[in-house]
Amino acid sequence: MSLPRLTIWQIVQMNIGFLGLQFSFGLQQSSMGPIYSYLGANEAALPLLSLAGPVTGLLVQPIVGAMSDRCTSRFGRRTPFFLIGAIVCSLCLLAMPYSQALWMAASLLWILDAANNTAMEPYRAYVGDRLPKDQHAHGFIIQSAFTGLAQTLAYLTPSLLVWSGMNKDAVGDNHIPQITLFAFMIGALISVTTMFWSIWRVPELPLSSEQKAKLASQKQGLSATLIEIWDAIREMPTPMRQMAWMKLFQWMAMGWYWQYVAYSIARSLFGTNDPTSTGFRDAVLVNGEVGAFYNLVSFITALLMVRYTQRFGAPKVHAVCLTLSGLGMWFLPQIDSYAWLFLPAVGVGLGWASIMGNPYVMLARSVPPERTGVYMGIFNMFIVIPLLIGAGLMSLMYDGVFGGDPRNVLMTAGVLMICAAVATLRVKVPD
C-alpha cells in the first residue's frame, strides 16, 4: 500500500508529541543526578541509581514495539501506547521533586522511564508507518530537531526561573531547590499536552482490510510477542548488526557525559564537590545553560542535516558528527572559564543531533516495514545494553581508575565517541 506524502508542516506537527517526551528526558539528564546528591547519594553510586532508564528500556521497548505492531484497537496501532505513556510520565514528573528519600526518587524514576519507553518506540514506528520511505529522513531528522529543542528548554528552564526572579538557593525540606520543583511541573504539562496535539492533528492511518486480516491470523498474547521478538533477533538484517559497535561506544559515552558533566563543571569552575554548597547549585545551573546551548545547536543542525544525510549518506554524516562530539567531550572538562565552555558544547550538540536522527534513518532503510515496531524496540537494546555496561563499569572504576574525578570520566567519554565514529564507517546501508 502506497502511503500519502505529508507536507513539512504535517511532519512537524506529527513530531510535536516527541517534544514533550524529550522534555521529560532532558529534565532527567540535567536534574536527576543533582536530585540524588541532594538526597545524600555519593558520586560513585550515580550510575547504579540511574539504571532505571536502561533496564526499563531493555524490558519495555521490545515488548511494546512488538505489541504495537500487532495492535488493532479502534484508536490505532500506536496511539494507545502514546497516551498511556504520556499520562503516567506527567504524574511521575509532578511527584519527583517531592521525594523525601533516595528510594522514593529512584522508584519514581523507574516508573517514569517505563512510561517514557512505553511511548518512545511506538512513536518512532509511527513515523515509519505514516511516511513513505523517501520522507523517512525528513521525519526522523525533524524528530531529532524536536529532541534538541525540547532538551534546550528542559535544561534552560531552571535558569529562566532564576532570571525571572526566583531564588536559586531556596530549597525544600528535602534540599531540592524550588526551581527544580517548578521545572518538573512545567515538564508534566508539556509532556501530556504535546502528545495529545500530535494525535489530534496527524492521526494514524486506519489499517487496510488486508492488514487487519494478516494481523488477525497471527497469534496474540505475551508468548507470541516474545516469539516474534526472538524471531526478529535471529533474522536481524546485516546493517542493523553492523551498527552494534557504533551504538555501544556512543551510548556509553553519552551515559557517562550526562551523569558527570555537572560534577565536572563544579570542580573546574567552582572548585567544589559538596552538593550542599552554593557552588554546586551554581554548577547545576551552568550545566543547564551549557546543556541548553548544545541542544539548541542540535535543534538547528538537525534541521540542516537532512540535506547532507540525503547527499552523502547517513553513515558518513554520523561519523563526522560523532568525531566532533568526542573532541568536545575531551576538551570541556579542561576549561575553567564560563564563556569558553560553550565552544566544546557545539561539538556535543552536533553529535547529539546526529545520534537522535541518523541511526534511525539507517535502520528504517534496513528493516522490513511490517516489522518496524519490533525492530525499533530491539534497536533500543543497542542503547540500553551499552548504558548498563557503562553503569556497571563506572561503579567499579570511578574511584580506582578515574581517581574519583568526573573530569577524567568526560575525557574518556570523548575517546569512546571517536571510537563510535570509526565503527560507523563499517555500516553498509541499502540505497
Side-chain angles (χ1 to χ4, degrees), residues 29 85 117 252 317:
Q29 292 163 14
N117 283 305
M252 281 183 62
V317 173

Side-chain angles (χ1 to χ4, degrees), residues 91-428:
L91 294 174
C92 291
L93 289 173
L94 287 173
M96 182 66 75
Y98 293 100
S99 298
Q100 297 297 314
L102 272 175
W103 68 264
M104 182 176 177
S107 299
L108 282 170
L109 183 61
W110 279 82
I111 301 170
L112 173 61
D113 275 321
N116 276 332
N117 283 305
T118 297
M120 174 71 76
E121 290 318 300
Y123 211 119
R124 293 200 183 278
Y126 159 64
V127 173
D129 293 344
R130 201 67 171 79
L131 297 173
K133 277 190 178 288
D134 66 333
Q135 288 193 307
H136 280 174
H138 290 85
F140 289 116
I141 297 296
I142 288 175
Q143 197 171 88
S144 173
F146 272 116
T147 298
L149 177 60
Q151 296 192 5
T152 296
L153 297 173
Y155 273 86
L156 196 57
T157 296
S159 290
L160 291 174
L161 292 171
V162 172
W163 297 337
S164 68
M166 288 189 68
N167 182 1
K168 67 181 175 65
D169 293 317
V171 299
D173 58 4
N174 57 1
H175 306 294
I176 295 175
Q178 293 295 301
I179 55 175
T180 302
L181 185 150
F182 278 89
F184 273 69
M185 290 176 63
I186 293 168
L189 178 64
I190 291 174
S191 177
V192 72
T193 54
T194 55
M195 192 68 74
F196 273 94
W197 179 272
S198 285
I199 292 169
W200 173 50
R201 298 301 298 172
V202 189
E204 290 188 74
L205 294 173
L207 294 173
S208 67
S209 55
E210 181 181 338
Q211 288 174 313
K212 289 179 180 178
K214 185 175 181 179
L215 289 172
S217 68
Q218 295 176 345
K219 292 182 179 179
Q220 302 295 323
L222 180 60
S223 62
T225 299
L226 295 176
I227 291 171
E228 166 65 11
I229 293 170
W230 176 245
D231 288 343
I233 291 173
R234 287 192 301 107
E235 300 163 13
M236 188 183 299
T238 299
M240 187 173 173
R241 293 181 186 274
Q242 292 171 338
M243 283 188 264
W245 285 105
M246 171 195 85
K247 301 277 279 188
L248 173 68
F249 293 129
Q250 74 184 27
W251 282 104
M252 281 183 62
M254 289 307 304
W256 289 356
Y257 177 85
W258 289 327
Q259 286 160 6
Y260 287 105
V261 63
Y263 299 85
S264 173
I265 292 172
R267 301 286 209 291
S268 61
L269 257 65
F270 301 99
T272 183
N273 61 354
D274 180 4
T276 64
S277 66
T278 298
F280 182 81
R281 288 192 289 273
D282 287 338
V284 173
L285 286 173
V286 169
N287 177 50
E289 292 158 19
V290 171
F293 178 75
Y294 90 67
N295 278 289
L296 179 62
V297 170
S298 174
F299 169 63
I300 295 170
T301 55
L303 295 175
L304 302 175
M305 201 176 289
V306 177
R307 176 183 301 177
Y308 296 99
T309 294
Q310 291 179 326
R311 180 176 177 182
F312 298 107
K316 291 180 181 178
V317 173
H318 192 49
V320 171
C321 291
L322 291 181
T323 301
L324 295 173
S325 180
L327 292 173
M329 290 182 183
W330 174 270
F331 284 110
L332 190 146
Q334 303 177 54
I335 294 173
D336 58 5
S337 164
Y338 170 79
W340 282 104
L341 282 175
F342 293 89
L343 181 59
V346 173
V348 177
L350 286 167
W352 185 230
S354 188
I355 285 171
M356 294 306 293
N358 280 314
Y360 296 96
V361 176
M362 295 156 69
L363 180 67
R365 290 184 177 275
S366 305
V367 302
E370 66 275 8
R371 301 178 92 173
T372 300
V374 68
Y375 275 122
M376 286 290 181
I378 292 170
F379 201 51
N380 186 65
M381 296 168 68
F382 290 8
I383 299 174
V384 298
I385 291 174
L387 291 174
L388 288 170
I389 293 172
L393 290 175
M394 188 54 61
S395 65
L396 297 173
M397 297 163 54
Y398 186 70
D399 290 323
V401 176
F402 295 106
D405 192 331
R407 291 169 290 190
N408 295 331
V409 176
L410 259 66
M411 293 170 67
T412 306
V415 174
L416 289 179
M417 197 63 86
I418 293 173
C419 291
V422 174
T424 302
L425 297 176
R426 296 181 58 252
V427 181
K428 307 299 180 185

Side-chain angles (χ1 to χ4, degrees), residues 1-175:
M1 180 182 71
S2 61
L3 296 172
R5 295 179 63 80
L6 299 185
T7 65
I8 290 297
W9 178 235
Q10 288 175 308
I11 296 174
V12 167
Q13 290 196 87
M14 74 184 291
N15 280 304
I16 284 176
F18 211 73
L19 182 144
L21 195 60
Q22 290 298 328
F23 194 101
S24 169
F25 277 115
L27 287 175
Q28 291 181 51
Q29 292 163 14
S30 62
S31 301
M32 281 311 303
I35 284 174
Y36 284 145
S37 293
Y38 298 139
L39 295 173
N42 62 62
E43 291 178 9
L46 293 177
L48 296 180
L49 289 168
S50 301
L51 286 178
V55 174
T56 55
L58 183 64
L59 298 175
V60 171
Q61 288 199 20
I63 293 174
V64 167
M67 289 175 64
S68 70
D69 280 344
R70 295 164 174 263
C71 182
T72 57
S73 81
R74 65 189 181 92
F75 300 106
R77 300 168 76 188
R78 319 294 182 185
T79 300
F81 300 95
F82 301 164
L83 292 177
I84 292 170
I87 292 170
V88 175
C89 171
S90 293
L91 294 174
C92 291
L93 289 173
L94 287 173
M96 182 66 75
Y98 293 100
S99 298
Q100 297 297 314
L102 272 175
W103 68 264
M104 182 176 177
S107 299
L108 282 170
L109 183 61
W110 279 82
I111 301 170
L112 173 61
D113 275 321
N116 276 332
N117 283 305
T118 297
M120 174 71 76
E121 290 318 300
Y123 211 119
R124 293 200 183 278
Y126 159 64
V127 173
D129 293 344
R130 201 67 171 79
L131 297 173
K133 277 190 178 288
D134 66 333
Q135 288 193 307
H136 280 174
H138 290 85
F140 289 116
I141 297 296
I142 288 175
Q143 197 171 88
S144 173
F146 272 116
T147 298
L149 177 60
Q151 296 192 5
T152 296
L153 297 173
Y155 273 86
L156 196 57
T157 296
S159 290
L160 291 174
L161 292 171
V162 172
W163 297 337
S164 68
M166 288 189 68
N167 182 1
K168 67 181 175 65
D169 293 317
V171 299
D173 58 4
N174 57 1
H175 306 294

